[in-house]
Amino acid sequence: MRTWSLWGGNGQPFGSYNGKWKVVVENTQGLSNEVYVVEFVILCIGRFSDIPNIPEFPPNKGPEVFVGKVIHSKDYAAMDNKSAAQFIKGKHVTVVGFQKSALDIAMECSTANGVENPCTVLYKTEHWNIPDFFPWGFPLAFLYLNRFSELLVHKPGEGFLFSVLATILSPLRWTFSKFVESHIKHKFQLAKFGMVPKHSFLQAINACVISMVPENFYDRVEEGSIVLKKSPSFGFCKEGVLIEGEATPRKTDLVILATGFKGDKKLKDVFASLTFQDYIVGSPNAAVPLYRECIHPQIPQLAVIGFSESVANLYTSEMRCRWLAELLAGTFKIPSIKEMEKDVAKWDE
């Protein structure tokens, strides 16, 4: 494989050496495992599940010294509504994180416990989370989810005219961002709560780190049933949470870590081969190196769909499925391995 210049040795979806994948499927009913031998594998396993991202703590500052309970948001989400409501009822809850899961869980805690046992939301960075998809009554899709909006962004292989156009339209790009920001700041009164992000909405939507804020979230902050605490780091003590910069521990009975998932590790663990484990993840400082966000230049007869991030994953995943179907049908040939790796690096940058 290391000597190949073309994907699979011939640049085709089915390699020149007639290689096969061995897929071992664990039977959860306690029966024997099943083994399938196939010529092409498409991984559609997603990234936001299975392997939780748990923060690391210094010695004697982790959950082991805490007398309360610490769970991940995936464990909370696995409960039915009745069990979840009973689980948080009457407890001082601290939620770590400030994306969709954290906001939803904090709302449920504030509904269950009110101002008597306020829910603390511990976060590192303010985010441009949106109240709706209609800033000042104008559809957000008209600003960011259409073909014209693509002309505003510099991208690899765009050509001279598209590059000039993106530069000329940069004031419009700035205007769109400020237009949406003004709506969010007004709707949530972010300045009042010290929650105005330091980065632009454009940066947030490009990095796919926006989510919907539950209705009346900041009303709960106003009434005191949700308490926002910014801290670059935190730890545990016997009776609660140690927040950086505060001398007194935050009394807590339950900590829910809404800290995301280790999607890269999940993808890596699919492979028995150490070589493929190293290949699939690539550099720790870059995204998973997939050409067209679908295939890995170094791993033949394999595609990954739905792993890369997007503002609207349904649409981009559909386009990648179409691209992959045409590849499998032999409609086109893909570039050499080196050319694919260069293209991946450009898009990652």
Side-chain angles (χ1 to χ4, degrees):
M1 276 176 48
R2 290 188 177 93
T3 66
W4 290 344
S5 60
L6 297 174
W7 196 56
N10 60 1
Q12 300 289 331
F14 303 99
S16 58
Y17 70 112
N18 297 319
K20 301 286 193 295
W21 285 103
K22 188 182 291 184
V23 183
V24 182
V25 181
E26 180 183 352
N27 192 311
T28 57
Q29 303 302 316
L31 303 176
S32 59
N33 292 345
E34 299 175 18
V35 180
Y36 299 89
V37 178
V38 299
E39 295 180 25
F40 200 97
V41 171
I42 305 173
L43 294 176
C44 307
I45 60 174
R47 63 187 298 167
F48 301 115
S49 62
D50 296 335
I51 302 180
N53 179 42
I54 306 296
E56 295 182 358
F57 300 94
N60 300 317
K61 291 290 179 67
E64 69 279 359
V65 301
F66 177 49
V67 295
K69 195 168 183 63
V70 180
I71 66 169
H72 190 267
S73 58
K74 74 184 278 288
D75 304 312
Y76 180 81
M79 301 178 190
D80 59 58
N81 290 344
K82 185 178 179 181
S83 300
Q86 291 176 344
F87 183 67
I88 59 177
K89 184 68 177 174
K91 293 185 174 74
H92 290 95
V93 183
T94 295
V95 178
V96 181
F98 203 70
Q99 288 292 2
K100 183 62 177 165
S101 294
L103 301 179
D104 287 347
I105 293 171
M107 278 296 286
E108 292 191 11
C109 291
S110 69
T111 299
N113 298 319
V115 295
E116 295 81 15
N117 294 317
C119 174
T120 301
V121 177
L122 207 56
Y123 67 96
K124 285 184 178 180
T125 308
E126 299 86 0
H127 291 290
W128 289 109
N129 294 325
I130 57 178
D132 51 57
F133 292 101
F134 296 92
W136 299 113
F138 192 81
L140 187 71
F142 287 0
L143 302 177
Y144 289 106
L145 300 177
N146 55 56
R147 292 184 182 275
F148 177 74
S149 65
E150 291 298 306
L151 299 177
L152 306 179
V153 184
H154 287 286
K155 58 188 86 64
E158 63 187 353
F160 177 72
L161 289 178
F162 283 114
S163 177
V164 171
L165 190 59
T167 302
I168 292 174
L169 293 175
S170 59
L172 191 60
R173 192 167 61 224
W174 180 87
T175 302
F176 284 176
S177 183
K178 295 304 174 187
F179 177 74
V180 178
E181 288 172 23
S182 65
H183 172 71
I184 299 173
K185 286 192 284 190
H186 171 76
K187 188 95 173 180
F188 290 147
Q189 301 182 61
L190 294 184
K192 177 180 179 180
F193 301 108
M195 294 299 291
V196 179
K198 294 180 175 59
H199 57 281
S200 69
F201 180 79
L202 176 67
Q203 288 174 288
I205 197 167
N206 282 352
C208 307
V209 287
I210 59 168
S211 59
M212 290 284 290
V213 177
E215 191 175 356
N216 300 323
F217 179 85
Y218 281 95
D219 292 339
R220 301 288 178 89
V221 176
E222 178 85 42
E223 73 179 17
S225 60
I226 293 177
V227 178
L228 302 176
K229 289 281 184 179
K230 182 176 181 177
S231 177
S233 65
F234 75 100
F236 290 91
C237 62
K238 185 178 179 180
E239 60 272 18
V241 175
L242 296 165
I243 299 174
E244 186 175 321
E246 294 190 4
T248 307
R250 187 87 183 168
K251 184 180 180 338
T252 303
D253 304 308
L254 169 66
V255 175
I256 302 178
L257 301 172
T259 46
F261 295 85
K262 292 185 176 180
D264 292 3
K265 178 168 172 50
K266 177 181 177 180
L267 198 59
K268 181 178 180 178
D269 289 351
V270 167
F271 298 94
S273 162
L274 295 178
T275 300
F276 286 151
Q277 286 183 11
D278 289 339
Y279 281 173
I280 193 69
V281 174
S283 167
N285 302 317
V288 172
L290 299 174
Y291 177 68
R292 301 292 190 192
E293 307 290 345
C294 290
I295 62 172
H296 194 292
Q298 295 285 353
I299 304 180
Q301 297 169 223
L302 177 91
V304 182
I305 296 291
F307 187 81
S308 55
E309 193 56 87
S310 170
V311 175
N313 285 354
L314 273 176
Y315 305 127
T316 49
S317 291
E318 180 188 359
M319 294 307 296
R320 286 161 191 154
C321 288
R322 292 184 179 190
W323 184 88
L324 180 60
E326 296 292 342
L327 174 65
L328 292 172
T331 306
F332 62 90
K333 289 188 176 181
I334 52 178
S336 68
I337 290 173
K338 283 188 177 180
E339 288 173 327
M340 286 196 287
E341 288 176 337
K342 286 179 181 177
D343 186 78
V344 168
K346 286 179 182 177
W347 279 97
D348 186 60
E349 184 185 355

